[in-house]
Amino acid sequence: MLYFEWNRPVILALCIILFGCKKRDKEIVDDRPNIIYIMADDHTSQAFGIYNSRLASLNPTPTLDKLAREGVIFDNAFVNNSICVPSRAAIITGQRAQTNGVLDLEGSIPPEKQYLPLEIKKLGYQTAIIGKWHLHEEPAAFDYYQVLPSQGSYFNPEFRVRGEQPWPQNAVQTKGHSSDKITDITLDWLKNKRDKGKPFFLMHHFKAPHDDFEYAPRYEEYLNDTFIPEPESLYDNKNNGSVATRGINDSLSRVIGSSVSHRNLIRNQAMNIYKEDTTLYRKYRDASSIQSNEMIAWKMDSEEKAYTSKTYQDYLKKYLRCVKGVDDNVKRLLDYLEAENMMENTIIIYTSDQGFMLGEHDYIDKRWMYEESMRMPFFIRCPKKIKSGIRTDAIINNTDFAPTLIELAGGKTPDYMQGKSFKTILETGQEPENWQKSTYYRYWMHLAHRHQNPAHFGLRTKDYKLIFYYGKYWVDTDNPNAIWNEKSWGNDFTKHTPPAWEFYDLKKDPKEMNNAYNDPTHASIIKNLKKELKTQREHLNETDKNYPHIQKVIDEHWND
């Protein structure tokens, strides 16, 4: 007893120190920001107010616009390959296609290469992904997941979950629209399933507004009596494109690039939203050459123009009704965070997996290196770390997302990631002197999925864009080991297309209506861009050393 009494002050002091340390540790954990990464599918920058497009006057995204103005808006965020799976692979790995191994829609990322959640989990975060995953293998690197199988369904979606059976056999069936259900699941996880003693990293992925643009019935009247502004290039593409995208004397115009109008015989929006087939497509789908002399020259007469306008109006209203559902569901999520006093300690990112063509150049879908397809919306709200109202034209691409998120969570960018963190841009609003001045793009899936986009790569700077269409179908009779994914690339017209260059002066021609590659006044600029393009391909492990049949085309036409 005397021993205890004599040491009581010491014991009390030790208790205070020990418990005080534990309390401070808990406060440190609690003080770290939560991170919510929201991504919609094909939500292009034209379909926002903040990006000042022709659709901004429709006010399609009031919730998202408000969120963006409270943080940092990036005007030059770009995808490395404008197609779902490769883009998502770049985001989850911080790596380019030939490094992470995902070139097309059949690529996958195994759990040990799901680097973003793995790295953030090391920092003490609880991780979750809800909604569209599309990387095929189990998202096992996340602590919690409830994801759509592949593309998933708009209505009454089924979700893959962790369970007693091996992936992907554990499933949960839901009723309702996917945008609503994904948000329901996220809110349930936030309220009831997460460990509230840890900060969390949550990826909330909408399926919408991916085609076929199936919106919730409550939006049936939205924009019903509104005329949707139309792009001029829907009717007159002027000097956009090249022999690679249009053919000699426009001989490829009927089969390259899925269209709003009837121009494309293989896939157009009438087939998509009206389920319309055409006798022209049936006539030419078995043609021996996509440059057949029998191809009918395309002409936009007054009757076709009226039909195209009607198709465009129906197409955009379906698309924007899906966008409206996304915006409303983001509001549900923000309302919960506000009610729980979590807004000030939660970093919120909003983006898409790529851009999307909304009739520009009479194109639908993505895949192209043209602005509307390549540009990603990207903004971030981080009230404790960054000021509101910042807008930057710094060039970022989707391989930069993972490094940035890791550093926002308190970590360091791993050496194996090719992307670069733009955390300092968020904190200062300034672009470092040594920041990247260009971004590299590569679309591999030559003439795939009836969208019929020729394979190409290129470089985008703040002022210029250089594109090379190598037009080589990925079947090489001289190399039986050449990789070709028939499931992902199956086509009716499995042929080569002409190689060609395109160059756009984006300051003078932001809508890319004039391919100025052959304008001698740009010769020195193009020469420098080619030098940078070659350097980028080597630096990023994106050369064609493993595909000599493609490299041969590149070498033959590099100085054209």
Side-chain angles (χ1 to χ4, degrees):
M1 185 68 181
L2 291 173
Y3 183 84
F4 173 79
E5 289 290 328
W6 186 84
N7 286 282
R8 180 177 291 174
V10 177
I11 293 169
L12 288 173
L14 288 172
C15 289
I16 289 169
I17 293 169
L18 289 171
F19 285 108
C21 288
K22 288 184 178 178
K23 185 174 185 296
R24 283 195 295 274
D25 285 346
K26 187 175 187 300
E27 287 173 353
I28 291 170
V29 170
D30 289 347
D31 191 58
R32 286 185 294 171
N34 302 308
I35 303 172
I36 301 179
Y37 176 94
I38 307 172
M39 186 161 71
D41 194 317
D42 296 343
H43 190 183
T44 186
S45 59
Q46 303 97 284
F48 287 80
I50 55 166
Y51 285 106
N52 303 316
S53 77
R54 68 181 183 279
L55 302 178
S57 62
L58 301 175
N59 192 26
T61 51
T63 300
L64 292 169
D65 290 349
K66 180 177 181 295
L67 183 71
R69 293 187 184 105
E70 293 172 353
V72 180
I73 301 170
F74 284 80
D75 287 321
N76 281 332
F78 299 106
V79 68
N80 68 320
N81 181 358
S82 186
I83 194 72
C84 295
V85 177
S87 173
R88 291 166 189 271
I91 291 166
I92 214 75
T93 65
Q95 295 175 338
R96 294 280 176 162
Q98 290 197 68
T99 300
N100 64 37
V102 179
L103 310 184
D104 58 32
L105 291 178
E106 304 310 313
S108 63
I109 298 293
E112 65 272 16
K113 292 187 176 181
Q114 294 165 16
Y115 297 130
L116 176 56
L118 288 172
E119 292 292 341
I120 289 187
K121 193 187 300 186
K122 290 178 185 176
L123 301 171
Y125 277 70
Q126 186 178 18
T127 60
I129 182 167
I130 295 166
K132 183 172 176 180
W133 167 239
H134 210 178
L135 290 173
H136 304 301
E137 295 202 32
E138 181 182 12
F142 291 87
D143 294 313
Y144 177 88
Y145 66 80
Q146 191 160 342
V147 296
L148 297 169
S150 188
Q151 191 59 248
S153 301
Y154 263 116
F155 286 98
N156 304 328
E158 181 180 85
F159 290 87
R160 301 283 186 252
V161 297
R162 186 178 270 114
E164 294 181 359
Q165 301 299 318
W167 165 273
Q169 297 178 39
N170 303 291
V172 173
Q173 186 66 49
T174 65
K175 290 185 178 181
H177 189 271
S178 68
S179 296
D180 299 335
K181 299 314 299 179
I182 289 165
T183 306
D184 288 347
I185 296 164
T186 285
L187 290 174
D188 179 60
W189 183 80
L190 288 169
K191 294 174 184 177
N192 304 314
K193 293 186 171 66
R194 67 184 174 94
D195 180 350
K196 296 183 181 180
K198 287 184 175 182
F200 63 81
F201 170 64
L202 167 66
M203 302 190 86
H204 175 93
H205 291 182
F206 291 103
K207 170 184 169 61
H210 190 279
D211 68 6
D212 291 327
F213 317 120
E214 297 176 23
Y215 50 86
R218 64 182 178 273
Y219 299 114
E220 184 65 40
E221 300 303 314
Y222 176 62
L223 298 174
N224 199 43
D225 299 320
T226 302
F227 180 82
I228 310 299
E230 300 175 349
E232 293 180 13
S233 57
L234 176 62
Y235 302 105
D236 184 0
N237 204 18
K238 298 189 183 298
N239 191 41
N240 167 268
S242 60
V243 67
T245 63
R246 301 173 69 150
I248 300 171
N249 298 322
D250 278 350
S251 60
L252 296 180
S253 64
R254 305 312 305 275
V255 294
I256 293 290
S258 50
S259 60
V260 177
S261 73
H262 279 125
R263 174 187 56 78
N264 190 294
L265 303 174
I266 299 170
R267 186 164 183 162
N268 59 61
Q269 199 56 268
M271 296 176 184
N272 216 30
I273 64 176
Y274 307 137
K275 307 306 177 186
E276 175 184 298
D277 197 2
T278 69
T279 55
L280 289 175
Y281 169 51
R282 289 194 298 270
K283 179 177 179 181
Y284 289 110
R285 64 186 171 189
D286 297 321
S288 60
S289 171
I290 60 174
Q291 299 180 74
S292 169
N293 292 330
E294 297 180 18
M295 283 292 178
I296 299 172
W298 173 241
K299 186 177 182 180
M300 179 77 81
D301 58 23
S302 58
E303 182 179 351
E304 178 61 31
K305 186 173 182 179
Y307 181 86
T308 299
S309 180
K310 179 186 183 305
T311 304
Y312 174 86
Q313 294 295 318
D314 291 346
Y315 161 36
L316 263 291
K317 288 174 184 179
K318 286 169 70 73
Y319 179 88
L320 291 172
R321 287 165 186 161
C322 284
V323 168
K324 174 67 172 169
V326 168
D327 193 75
D328 286 350
N329 273 289
V330 171
K331 186 176 187 305
R332 291 176 62 204
L333 178 55
L334 299 182
D335 286 347
Y336 170 78
L337 296 174
E338 191 71 50
E340 295 296 314
N341 297 316
M342 296 170 65
M343 284 292 285
E344 294 309 300
N345 197 41
T346 300
I347 297 169
I348 303 172
I349 299 100
Y350 187 90
T351 186
S352 177
D353 53 352
Q354 61 254 327
F356 204 76
M357 308 299 295
L358 296 179
E360 298 85 5
H361 312 294
D362 190 26
Y363 291 138
I364 59 174
D365 200 66
K366 50 260 186 178
R367 304 165 191 264
W368 296 106
M369 197 180 160
Y370 299 134
E371 284 296 279
E372 296 83 5
S373 170
M374 183 186 182
R375 183 186 299 278
M376 307 173 77
F378 189 93
F379 47 88
I380 178 169
R381 182 186 189 274
C382 180
K384 285 191 175 182
K385 291 182 176 291
I386 60 176
K387 297 177 182 178
S388 63
I390 296 174
R391 194 156 197 149
T392 176
D393 68 349
I395 290 176
I396 63 173
N397 68 73
N398 58 342
T399 63
D400 299 324
F401 296 176
T404 305
L405 292 168
I406 290 166
E407 294 200 0
L408 287 172
K412 293 183 178 180
T413 301
D415 291 339
Y416 60 78
M417 287 190 176
Q418 295 171 295
K420 306 298 180 185
S421 170
F422 48 87
K423 180 172 175 282
T424 58
I425 298 176
L426 297 174
E427 293 171 338
T428 66
Q430 302 297 315
E431 183 179 340
E433 287 186 9
N434 62 348
W435 189 250
Q436 56 202 9
K437 307 303 181 187
S438 63
T439 188
Y440 176 77
Y441 180 91
R442 176 82 180 258
Y443 176 72
W444 292 82
M445 298 169 61
H446 183 64
L447 303 183
H449 290 170
R450 293 174 61 203
H451 288 293
Q452 302 299 107
N453 293 37
H456 57 286
F457 60 75
L459 196 73
R460 209 281 194 190
T461 71
K462 289 183 180 180
D463 296 334
Y464 306 110
K465 183 179 293 182
L466 182 68
I467 310 172
F468 180 63
Y469 292 89
Y470 53 89
K472 192 75 172 175
Y473 189 57
W474 207 357
V475 173
D476 187 0
T477 56
D478 297 326
N479 180 11
N481 295 319
I483 303 170
W484 174 63
N485 195 328
E486 186 172 6
K487 183 178 179 182
S488 192
W489 297 22
N491 309 284
D492 292 314
F493 294 91
T494 53
K495 304 292 179 182
H496 303 321
T497 52
W501 290 92
E502 295 180 16
F503 168 82
Y504 298 95
D505 184 335
L506 299 172
K507 283 197 170 181
K508 296 179 180 177
D509 180 28
K511 295 183 180 179
E512 298 171 310
M513 298 303 294
N514 179 40
N515 174 12
Y517 182 77
N518 292 318
D519 183 341
T521 61
H522 294 98
S524 62
I525 295 170
I526 291 171
K527 182 178 180 181
N528 289 333
L529 288 173
K530 285 186 178 181
K531 182 179 179 180
E532 174 65 13
L533 178 57
K534 185 176 182 180
T535 299
Q536 286 269 30
R537 279 166 55 80
E538 292 171 351
H539 174 68
L540 296 172
N541 184 35
E542 286 292 319
T543 68
D544 284 275
K545 63 182 180 182
N546 294 325
Y547 313 108
H549 56 300
I550 296 176
Q551 187 61 52
K552 181 180 178 183
V553 176
I554 296 169
D555 292 341
E556 289 175 350
H557 296 276
W558 190 259
N559 295 315
D560 282 2

